């Protein structure tokens, strides 16, 4: 597994969490201390419409459901279009379903287009398969009811390129030394502190060390090596 540490406290405590869980790789993205704000600004413009309309597959009203989904689509696209700035939009639909008489629904995807009778049969089969994944097996002979529908319209996400490869760079210099208590042993030691913004891609730092930035600090423990990758992320590996 790889642990991703973000937020003001994540990079500080990520090392100990990883060690307790037996995780040997940690990634600290750029701007980790304000990761939620970055995520908000980079997230797609999206809007979800949820409406109730009771249906059973044994008496499924295709025309009524298509009319409902069409209205929901129009509402969602109007809201997203106001903030999409011309970017392409994508749509997904979900039905919340259960066997008749049960008290809990599970979400099942629905094609984002007008439905026909063949779709109704396929969606029912998808429900049985989804139910079997949750509860090991379907319930043969029982009708399925849909309690509500959801339509989500969102701008398309930009493709994410992998981090480019970098060559190791030597000569990283600390900006100061600081007394740090090792919470595992209780010992206090002077450890080097590095300025994250001054570290080039490919820089490698052997722990124990601290990599400081404006919003947080990353603790690199003894037995760990931190490297700045091609995205300027800190990638820590346990040796």
């Amino acid at each position: 597994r790889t642990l991703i540490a973000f937020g003001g406290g994540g990079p500080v405590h990520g090392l100990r969490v990883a060690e307790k869980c037996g995780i040997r790789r940690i990634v600290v993205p750029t701007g980790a201390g304000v990761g939620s704000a970055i995520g908000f600004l980079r997230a797609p413009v999206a809007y979800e419409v949820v409406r109730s309309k009771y249906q059973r597959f044994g008496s499924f009203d295709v025309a009524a459901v298509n009319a409902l989904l069409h209205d929901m689509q129009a509402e969602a696209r109007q809201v997203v279009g106001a903030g999409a700035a011309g970017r392409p939009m994508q749509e997904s639909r979900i039905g919340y379903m259960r066997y008749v008489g049960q008290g809990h629904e599970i979400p099942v995807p629905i094609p984002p287009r007008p439905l026909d009778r063949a779709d109704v049969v396929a969606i029912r089969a998808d429900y049985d398969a989804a139910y079997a994944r949750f509860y090991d097996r379907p319930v043969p002979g029982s009708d399925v009811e849909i309690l509500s529908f959801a339509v989500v319209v969102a701008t398309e996400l930009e493709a994410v390129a992998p981090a480019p490869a970098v060559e190791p760079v030597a000569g990283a210099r600390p900006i100061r030394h600081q007394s740090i208590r090792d919470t595992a042993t209780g010992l206090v030691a002077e450890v080097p502190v590095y300025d994250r913004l001054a570290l080039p891609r490919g820089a490698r730092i052997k722990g124990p060390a601290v990599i400081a930035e404006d919003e947080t600090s990353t603790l690199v423990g003894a037995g760990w090596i931190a490297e700045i990758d091609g995205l300027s992320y800190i990638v820590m590996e346990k040796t």
Side-chain angles (χ1 to χ4, degrees):
R1 298 291 187 268
T2 295
L3 185 147
I4 301 176
F6 60 94
V12 178
H13 302 289
L15 171 74
R16 297 305 181 208
V17 173
E19 289 181 334
K20 288 182 178 182
C21 296
I23 295 173
R24 303 178 65 88
R25 187 171 187 267
I26 303 171
V27 174
V28 183
T30 54
V34 289
S36 295
I38 292 173
F40 172 77
L41 294 171
R42 291 184 61 87
V45 180
Y47 190 75
E48 179 183 30
V49 179
V50 181
R51 293 185 186 173
S52 298
K53 187 171 186 64
Y54 184 82
Q55 291 286 302
R56 287 193 182 189
F57 279 94
S59 57
F60 197 95
D61 189 336
V62 176
V65 171
N66 279 335
L68 174 74
L69 293 172
H70 180 270
D71 289 345
M72 295 167 67
Q73 177 196 60
E75 179 183 343
R77 284 186 171 271
Q78 181 180 10
V79 174
V80 175
R87 286 176 288 175
M89 294 182 284
Q90 58 188 12
E91 179 182 340
S92 60
R93 298 178 178 181
I94 293 174
Y96 292 92
M97 311 176 190
R98 66 187 185 188
Y99 287 114
V100 173
Q102 290 187 327
H104 181 68
E105 304 85 51
I106 60 175
V108 178
I110 295 174
R113 53 172 171 74
L115 303 177
D116 57 29
R117 281 294 169 188
D119 292 320
V120 175
V121 175
I123 294 168
R124 168 60 201 263
D126 290 343
Y127 171 82
D128 287 333
Y131 187 90
R133 286 195 299 272
F134 280 109
Y135 305 110
D136 293 335
R137 61 181 180 180
V139 181
S142 179
D143 200 359
V144 173
E145 54 190 7
I146 306 176
L147 275 69
S148 59
F149 296 86
V151 173
V152 179
V153 174
T155 54
E156 293 183 0
L157 285 171
E158 297 178 2
V160 178
V166 294
E167 295 293 330
V169 175
R173 295 180 178 274
I175 56 174
R176 66 179 185 274
H177 286 73
Q178 182 173 328
S179 295
I180 298 292
R181 181 182 298 276
D182 187 326
T183 56
T185 65
L187 300 177
V188 177
E190 291 287 313
V191 302
V193 178
Y194 296 85
D195 179 4
R196 181 171 185 172
L197 295 181
L199 294 174
R201 296 177 181 182
R204 290 170 61 86
I205 295 171
K206 185 178 180 180
V210 173
I211 302 175
E213 54 189 300
D214 287 343
E215 303 92 5
T216 188
S217 294
T218 299
L219 178 64
V220 185
W224 291 73
I225 292 179
E227 180 176 1
I228 308 301
D229 75 357
L231 295 174
S232 296
Y233 289 9
I234 301 171
V235 179
M236 292 193 288
E237 301 270 2
K238 188 173 180 63
T239 60

